[in-house]
Amino acid sequence: MRQICTKCLRPIQNCFCKYLTPFDCGVKFVFLMHPKEAKRQRTGTGRIAHAGLIDSEIIVGIDFTQNERLCALLSDKQYFPMLLYPGEDAWTAKKEGFAETVAGKKLLVIVIDSTWFCSKKMIQYSTNVTALPKLSFSGEYRSIFTFKREPKPEYISTIESCYYLIKELQTADIVHNRCDPECLMTAFKEMIKFQLQKENDRIAGLLPNTHFHDYKYTRKKEVPVF
């Protein structure tokens, strides 16, 4: 029986937690994880982000309107809850008055951890989440998760979202500059290299196909050197 990491739920030999130095950035992250995402361990980054962020937790579901844990967090007066989601009405770390608005409370960032297709249904059902003020990025980012297709290039992964948000919140003095989130990207890059190498090994016949659509992929990909 193979050993499983209790943090990311990946097999110990394929665990990326060894690249993480868990840290507390002064922000609480809550990952609302779709059940399908919770079952997919091959490329999911929410659990890796959770393993690196000390004050974070995962709640699995689709409709969170009556979720007891989430409702308790949203009603806790110590927090200033926001939904990390793009939109014209979204706040950013550079928005005038943002730091003053959050001041005195701990920022509670709700992250939808799912595919963009499934996240729309989660947002639609969870009215307590959609009622929250939105938080987004002032900068433009492109994902390095190149072997996973997204509807648009600016749709970045969960772990990248946390990393870039922390970096931007540092500019607003909401996260202290001594906080170093680089381990999140280090673990993410190692995961990318691992997955690409495994895919190349499968194409070379060194590993068996594990998914019904693997037969479609026959061209080896370059493993990046970050």
Side-chain angles (χ1 to χ4, degrees):
M1 185 176 180
R2 63 180 181 177
Q3 291 183 305
I4 301 296
C5 173
T6 57
K7 292 183 179 179
C8 68
L9 301 185
R10 294 179 64 88
I12 290 293
Q13 66 270 26
N14 300 336
C15 173
F16 304 105
C17 292
K18 58 180 172 288
Y19 301 107
L20 295 169
T21 303
F23 62 96
D24 187 350
C25 63
V27 174
K28 183 171 182 63
F29 284 88
V30 175
F31 301 99
L32 302 185
M33 186 177 291
H34 193 281
K36 289 184 179 179
E37 191 72 20
K39 293 179 181 178
R40 289 170 53 247
Q41 298 305 319
R42 191 163 71 160
T43 57
T45 66
R47 291 195 186 277
I48 301 177
H50 169 55
L53 295 164
I54 291 177
D55 193 5
S56 68
E57 58 186 275
I58 294 172
I59 305 176
V60 179
I62 298 177
D63 183 355
F64 295 91
T65 307
Q66 302 298 326
N67 184 277
E68 185 175 344
R69 176 56 183 162
L70 181 61
C71 289
L73 287 168
L74 296 182
S75 61
D76 192 328
K77 299 301 182 182
Q78 70 170 308
Y79 295 122
F80 189 91
M82 302 189 79
L83 172 64
L84 185 61
Y85 206 79
E88 293 184 359
D89 58 340
W91 289 58
T92 71
K94 288 187 176 181
K95 183 173 181 178
E96 185 177 355
F98 176 69
E100 291 76 12
T101 301
V102 179
K105 292 191 175 184
K106 187 170 188 175
L107 189 60
L108 171 64
V109 178
I110 306 299
V111 183
I112 305 295
D113 187 37
S114 175
T115 63
W116 283 95
F117 176 79
C118 291
S119 68
K120 291 179 180 179
K121 183 175 291 186
M122 296 167 71
I123 291 292
Q124 178 184 354
Y125 289 163
S126 306
T127 55
N128 56 339
V129 174
T130 55
L132 298 174
K134 292 187 182 70
L135 178 62
S136 190
F137 308 107
S138 57
E140 295 183 0
Y141 305 104
R142 293 293 182 271
S143 179
I144 61 173
F145 209 173
T146 53
F147 71 91
K148 182 180 179 182
R149 293 183 179 180
E150 296 290 2
K152 296 181 180 180
E154 63 268 23
Y155 287 2
I156 59 179
S157 68
T158 296
I159 200 166
E160 290 172 302
S161 297
C162 295
Y163 171 79
Y164 289 122
L165 180 63
I166 291 171
K167 297 290 287 185
E168 291 198 358
L169 290 175
Q170 287 178 322
T171 66
D173 292 326
I174 293 176
V175 173
H176 201 283
N177 286 329
R178 288 196 300 268
C179 173
D180 187 2
E182 291 301 326
C183 67
L184 296 179
M185 290 299 287
T186 299
F188 183 46
K189 291 173 181 178
E190 291 298 327
M191 190 203 78
I192 291 173
K193 291 190 290 185
F194 173 84
Q195 295 296 346
L196 286 175
Q197 186 59 58
K198 288 297 183 182
E199 183 173 323
N200 288 344
D201 289 347
R202 181 193 57 75
I203 293 171
L206 301 176
L207 292 173
N209 290 347
T210 56
H211 294 266
F212 72 93
H213 57 266
D214 280 345
Y215 75 92
K216 298 179 181 179
Y217 304 102
T218 58
R219 182 179 298 179
K220 290 186 178 181
K221 298 180 181 178
E222 181 179 356
V223 179
V225 179
F226 293 109

